[in-house]
Amino acid sequence: MNALRTAEVIAVGSELLGWTRLDTNSLFIADQLSRLGIELRAKAVVGDDRGRIQAMFTRALERADLVILTGGLGPTDDDLTREAIAGALGLELEEHEEITERIRRRFERRGAQMPEVNRRQAMVPRGAQWIPNANGSAPGLRLEVDGRLVVLLPGPPRELQPMLLDLCAPGGVIAEGAGAERLHRVSLFTTGLAESQVEALVQPIYSLWRTEEEPIETTILASPGQVELHLTLRGPDEAHARARLARALAALQAALGNAAYSTDGRRLPEVVLASLRARGHTIAAAESCTGGMLLERLTSIPGSSATVIGGVVAYSNDLKVDWLGVATAAIEAHGAVSEVVGAAMAEGIRARTGADVGVAITGIAGPDGGTAAKPVGTVVIAVSIAGQPLMVGTHLFAGDRDMVRVQATQAALNRVRLALQA
Amino acid sequence: MNALRTAEVIAVGSELLGWTRLDTNSLFIADQLSRLGIELRAKAVVGDDRGRIQAMFTRALERADLVILTGGLGPTDDDLTREAIAGALGLELEEHEEITERIRRRFERRGAQMPEVNRRQAMVPRGAQWIPNANGSAPGLRLEVDGRLVVLLPGPPRELQPMLLDLCAPGGVIAEGAGAERLHRVSLFTTGLAESQVEALVQPIYSLWRTEEEPIETTILASPGQVELHLTLRGPDEAHARARLARALAALQAALGNAAYSTDGRRLPEVVLASLRARGHTIAAAESCTGGMLLERLTSIPGSSATVIGGVVAYSNDLKVDWLGVATAAIEAHGAVSEVVGAAMAEGIRARTGADVGVAITGIAGPDGGTAAKPVGTVVIAVSIAGQPLMVGTHLFAGDRDMVRVQATQAALNRVRLALQA
């Protein structure tokens, strides 16, 4: 077999050509292949049409060392990937008794009889090897064609993912074909800085890496309230690559200071929860414009119930007064979106729940409710921790309602993170 | 020009071949084209490589009446779509002074000078027409090749979308080419039933439509807590098609009864909010395992602050007692996840906030915390409305933590919806 350096992916399924569903398997495949240093050159989606699958496959096989097809391996008439590939390569399809037996037993374990139509899933192009599927009836298939590798995998992610992981693990046919060179990757997440600010701080550093003999590639990805740096380095020596990437990360962290919060892939809620846990602290939140999003993000993490007491969504002013002890006079004098009220909310939620940390968000998410003095996107964030000075600040976030809310929760989590370091 | 019946889409950009980003423009394009009755036959993603763009484009043009390329129209060296298409068609690129002027003025309006490199965006293959871009410097391009239509659009969605809408609106070149036949679409959303239950109820109905002269196609899409039916009908007579689809929807609604909650694309939080608003009711929520997700979903809708008072995320038992008035004895006797406690939470949040409707969720989202009697996925939901009997019920949801939480919020919204109808 050729060394596997380049790959193409073809997702089969008419449902993936509509306006509701994307092929997400290709992200998982790109991730796994990139770790092995295999470059994904193109990807395509084609409907359940034998001729079109065949044409797309034939072209891909002319260009890439590895072609992966996903989907179209079910038992029904519109599952045509097996037939298309056999047709394109001029191979006969043969039933493998061993596969039929496995499918039959699978049905029997559930107290059912195998429908005759499922025999189609046991059809294998002559010379191909089949790949066991622990989570479904359709086996995968793999075959070598003029030194190139063709892999067929079922479409459902929970079936495809473990099968691909096996093929890409040491000893697996894709890992062995990929050779010694690997793509080594690290990431660094920041919050509190705009993409252009991050770029200005790190560009002078990473631009030097590009011209080295084994260049480090840097990609910047921005989403609301977060800017991520992804570093990749191609090379055969893992220890050497890891050491270089660690030095590169350290240089970026030095430049970014406190804005850098994670180099191990953990997101902000996880980092904040771990930091609270390490101090034995509990947390409670009082939210207005974010309407529960901050608490939802914190409690999305398994095991958070030991650290997150809960909190109040005080959307109305009455609730801010009755439940958090905010003074009506403060709301009247300064407005519900003010540092005075935000501070009172953070102190109120901490005092009334007995939490070690109280965090509050009050703001104007839009699209309505803005004024000249407090435009849409104005958000006050306050953090109250026993024995520490109260932290409160006003932000102005850009974007639509959802973007303002996401940025507000990021900023609140970040203020808690920084307050815990103080 | 040929009638436009089939299309292919090619997204250009190496960043779309990694493990972090999907091409989402193709969903928007598929949506717009399908309304015009144009079938999207295939889509592809290719990196910033002139030869590969060219090869991919050449094949697509052999197969489809309409080829849309997105991305690669920026001013830098790795923006290669213009060059690739001109190369594939053997056309010269010429600078259009009118475009250069527009870009220059765009920069001047922001008090900046146009960088020389932006002249590349004024380069047009001979014979092509350019498409103004209101939200960016890159114009789109369109040209006819042997009766087929080629359209180049910039990659950023906020630039691409209005440009494509123009092309697909009456008088636009895609709409005019598509001819009189349109794809008419309606949808129906259900909740509270599993996909197999929905299928069993509606399959006998929609299977008859398939064999009619102008068949109605039915697609079923399932996500946690929601099953959607999408109906499409191809035909030249809009009024006739709309009337048939309305009859079809009515037949499905009759079969699905109360499980059908929307035929206008509105999701459950919007439908529930509208129903509350129509009755002049306010709502408050007490959440345990969903940790704020229910309130977050309700408040994600603009204008919700008039109806949603707020609520409590009572993750700890202390908060259930102190803030909601749940009796400690009830928690000790029945457990925090019990109908007794759920009912007390719903009544407590309503009484203490003065809301017209109180809704409560308490359950075990997992992955830990399950027992033999109350496995992971057990969720109690209660709804309290003044002057109505309290509604409370226990659900068992499958899936991971996030899936359990999403299903729990769907079920809670649905119980509110049904209680308001009572």
Side-chain angles (χ1 to χ4, degrees):
Chain A
M1 197 166 70
N2 297 352
L4 305 178
R5 300 198 185 285
T6 61
E8 296 202 14
V9 172
I10 301 170
V12 178
S14 297
E15 74 282 7
L16 300 172
L17 290 169
W19 55 90
T20 54
R21 285 178 57 178
L22 283 172
D23 158 44
T24 54
N25 284 326
S26 64
L27 289 185
F28 185 82
I29 297 170
D31 187 4
Q32 293 306 315
L33 297 185
S34 83
R35 290 170 194 270
L36 297 172
I38 301 171
E39 187 195 354
L40 184 60
R41 284 271 178 93
K43 56 188 190 182
V45 176
V46 62
D48 300 308
D49 178 290
R50 185 175 153 163
R52 280 177 232 149
I53 303 168
Q54 202 159 316
M56 198 74 97
F57 167 69
T58 304
R59 296 298 168 197
L61 198 61
E62 288 168 7
R63 296 179 297 230
D65 304 320
L66 167 64
V67 178
I68 299 180
L69 295 105
T70 63
L73 298 182
T76 67
D77 280 350
D78 57 0
D79 291 301
L80 296 164
T81 307
R82 280 177 298 261
E83 284 77 359
I85 277 28
L89 300 173
L91 300 173
E92 296 284 314
L93 280 170
E94 305 167 330
E95 184 174 341
H96 275 224
E97 255 319 308
E98 199 185 342
I99 305 177
T100 315
E101 257 324 293
R102 277 175 79 104
I103 301 176
R104 199 188 305 278
R105 282 201 304 274
R106 196 182 153 78
F107 275 94
E108 281 168 3
R109 278 199 304 276
R110 298 159 177 223
Q113 229 191 325
M114 181 185 86
E116 265 311 290
V117 71
N118 280 78
R119 296 187 93 97
R120 291 192 62 202
Q121 298 188 299
M123 301 300 283
V124 173
R126 185 168 293 172
Q129 291 178 273
W130 61 280
I131 307 166
N133 175 353
N135 298 313
S137 59
L141 297 171
R142 66 182 172 89
L143 65 166
E144 235 189 274
V145 182
D146 301 333
R148 288 149 194 260
L149 180 63
V150 177
V151 174
L152 279 62
L153 294 171
R158 62 185 289 274
E159 302 180 29
L160 174 145
Q161 292 185 5
M163 294 165 80
L164 185 70
L165 285 176
D166 270 355
L167 296 171
C168 293
V173 66
I174 297 179
E176 295 305 307
E181 203 170 89
R182 294 285 182 270
L183 193 70
H184 305 280
R185 292 161 27 182
V186 290
S187 65
L188 186 153
F189 296 166
T190 74
T191 186
L193 295 178
E195 184 177 6
S196 58
Q197 293 174 301
V198 171
E199 175 82 36
L201 289 169
V202 298
Q203 200 272 346
I205 302 170
Y206 73 69
S207 60
L208 300 176
W209 302 336
R210 282 191 182 146
T211 52
E212 293 181 23
E213 200 179 332
E214 288 180 332
I216 295 177
E217 291 292 333
T218 306
T219 307
I220 302 188
L221 280 182
S223 58
Q226 172 134 328
V227 179
E228 306 174 7
L229 300 169
H230 293 268
L231 277 54
T232 56
L233 172 57
R234 188 179 291 269
D237 182 342
E238 164 129 26
H240 175 74
R242 289 279 149 213
R244 275 196 64 206
L245 286 171
R247 284 198 302 277
L249 271 187
L252 295 179
Q253 279 183 292
L256 291 162
N258 242 334
Y261 76 81
S262 169
T263 58
D264 55 11
R266 285 182 308 161
R267 314 246 145 211
L268 203 42
E270 250 181 301
V271 168
V272 169
L273 265 190
S275 177
L276 287 163
R277 215 177 277 137
R279 287 162 179 80
H281 277 2
T282 55
I283 189 168
E287 301 184 56
S288 182
C289 65
T290 46
M293 189 187 278
L294 176 59
L295 284 162
E296 191 281 321
R297 292 187 65 194
L298 282 169
T299 59
S300 69
I301 295 160
S304 50
S305 57
T307 305
V308 182
I309 291 182
V312 170
V313 177
Y315 225 52
S316 75
N317 285 343
D318 284 352
L319 247 58
K320 294 186 182 77
V321 173
D322 297 345
W323 292 60
L324 298 167
V326 177
T328 307
I331 296 178
E332 278 165 7
H334 304 280
V337 180
S338 62
E339 299 199 350
V340 173
V341 169
M345 287 170 67
E347 289 179 336
I349 192 70
R350 186 166 73 80
R352 295 189 173 205
T353 59
D356 301 301
V357 179
V359 52
I361 303 175
T362 177
I364 303 153
D368 305 314
T371 64
K374 294 176 186 172
V376 167
T378 303
V379 178
V380 172
I381 287 161
V383 177
S384 165
I385 303 182
Q388 279 186 219
L390 184 114
M391 285 179 66
V392 61
T394 305
H395 301 252
L396 182 60
F397 299 118
D400 62 17
R401 183 176 178 86
D402 188 54
M403 280 176 68
V404 169
R405 283 160 48 110
V406 171
Q407 290 174 91
T409 61
Q410 282 288 98
L413 289 167
N414 196 37
R415 279 196 176 253
V416 172
R417 179 180 74 94
L418 297 173
L420 290 173
Q421 290 171 0
Chain B
M1 198 166 70
N2 297 353
L4 305 178
R5 301 198 184 284
T6 62
E8 296 202 16
V9 172
I10 301 170
V12 178
S14 298
E15 74 282 7
L16 299 173
L17 289 171
W19 57 90
T20 53
R21 285 179 56 178
L22 283 171
D23 157 45
T24 53
N25 284 327
S26 63
L27 289 187
F28 185 82
I29 296 171
D31 187 5
Q32 293 305 316
L33 297 185
S34 82
R35 290 169 195 273
L36 296 173
I38 300 171
E39 187 194 356
L40 184 60
R41 284 270 179 95
K43 55 188 191 183
V45 177
V46 62
D48 299 309
D49 178 288
R50 185 176 153 162
R52 280 177 233 149
I53 302 168
Q54 202 158 314
M56 198 73 95
F57 166 69
T58 304
R59 295 299 168 198
L61 198 60
E62 288 166 7
R63 294 180 297 232
D65 303 320
L66 167 64
V67 178
I68 299 180
L69 296 103
T70 63
L73 297 182
T76 68
D77 281 348
D78 57 2
D79 290 302
L80 296 164
T81 307
R82 280 177 297 262
E83 284 77 357
I85 276 29
L89 300 173
L91 300 172
E92 296 284 316
L93 281 169
E94 305 168 329
E95 184 174 340
H96 275 222
E97 255 318 309
E98 199 185 343
I99 304 177
T100 315
E101 258 323 294
R102 277 176 79 106
I103 301 176
R104 199 188 306 279
R105 283 201 303 274
R106 195 181 154 80
F107 275 94
E108 282 169 2
R109 276 199 304 276
R110 299 159 180 226
Q113 229 191 325
M114 182 184 85
E116 264 311 289
V117 71
N118 281 78
R119 295 187 94 96
R120 293 193 61 204
Q121 298 188 299
M123 301 300 282
V124 173
R126 183 167 295 171
Q129 291 178 271
W130 61 280
I131 307 166
N133 176 353
N135 298 313
S137 60
L141 296 170
R142 64 181 172 91
L143 63 166
E144 234 187 274
V145 184
D146 301 334
R148 287 150 194 260
L149 180 64
V150 177
V151 175
L152 279 62
L153 295 172
R158 62 184 289 275
E159 300 180 29
L160 173 145
Q161 292 184 5
M163 295 165 80
L164 185 69
L165 285 176
D166 269 356
L167 297 171
C168 293
V173 66
I174 296 179
E176 295 304 307
E181 202 170 87
R182 293 287 184 268
L183 193 70
H184 304 280
R185 291 163 27 184
V186 290
S187 65
L188 184 152
F189 296 167
T190 74
T191 187
L193 295 179
E195 185 178 6
S196 57
Q197 294 175 300
V198 171
E199 175 83 36
L201 289 169
V202 297
Q203 199 271 348
I205 301 170
Y206 73 68
S207 60
L208 299 176
W209 303 335
R210 281 191 181 147
T211 52
E212 291 180 25
E213 200 179 333
E214 289 182 329
I216 296 177
E217 291 291 334
T218 306
T219 306
I220 302 188
L221 279 181
S223 58
Q226 173 134 327
V227 179
E228 306 175 6
L229 299 169
H230 293 268
L231 275 54
T232 56
L233 171 59
R234 190 179 290 271
D237 181 343
E238 165 130 25
H240 175 72
R242 289 278 149 215
R244 274 197 64 204
L245 286 170
R247 283 198 302 276
L249 271 186
L252 295 178
Q253 279 183 292
L256 291 161
N258 242 334
Y261 75 82
S262 168
T263 56
D264 55 10
R266 286 182 309 160
R267 314 244 147 213
L268 204 43
E270 248 180 300
V271 168
V272 169
L273 265 189
S275 177
L276 287 163
R277 214 176 278 135
R279 286 163 179 79
H281 278 1
T282 56
I283 188 169
E287 301 186 55
S288 182
C289 65
T290 47
M293 188 187 279
L294 175 60
L295 284 162
E296 190 279 321
R297 292 186 66 193
L298 281 168
T299 59
S300 69
I301 295 161
S304 49
S305 58
T307 305
V308 182
I309 290 183
V312 170
V313 176
Y315 224 52
S316 75
N317 285 342
D318 284 353
L319 247 58
K320 293 185 182 80
V321 173
D322 297 347
W323 293 61
L324 298 168
V326 177
T328 307
I331 297 179
E332 279 165 6
H334 304 280
V337 180
S338 62
E339 299 199 351
V340 174
V341 169
M345 288 170 66
E347 289 179 336
I349 193 68
R350 185 166 73 80
R352 295 189 173 205
T353 59
D356 300 301
V357 179
V359 52
I361 302 175
T362 177
I364 303 153
D368 304 316
T371 63
K374 293 176 186 172
V376 166
T378 304
V379 178
V380 172
I381 288 161
V383 177
S384 165
I385 304 182
Q388 279 188 216
L390 184 114
M391 282 179 69
V392 60
T394 305
H395 301 251
L396 181 60
F397 299 119
D400 64 16
R401 185 176 177 85
D402 188 53
M403 278 176 69
V404 169
R405 283 158 48 108
V406 172
Q407 290 173 90
T409 60
Q410 284 286 99
L413 290 167
N414 196 37
R415 279 194 177 255
V416 172
R417 179 180 73 94
L418 296 174
L420 290 173
Q421 290 171 0

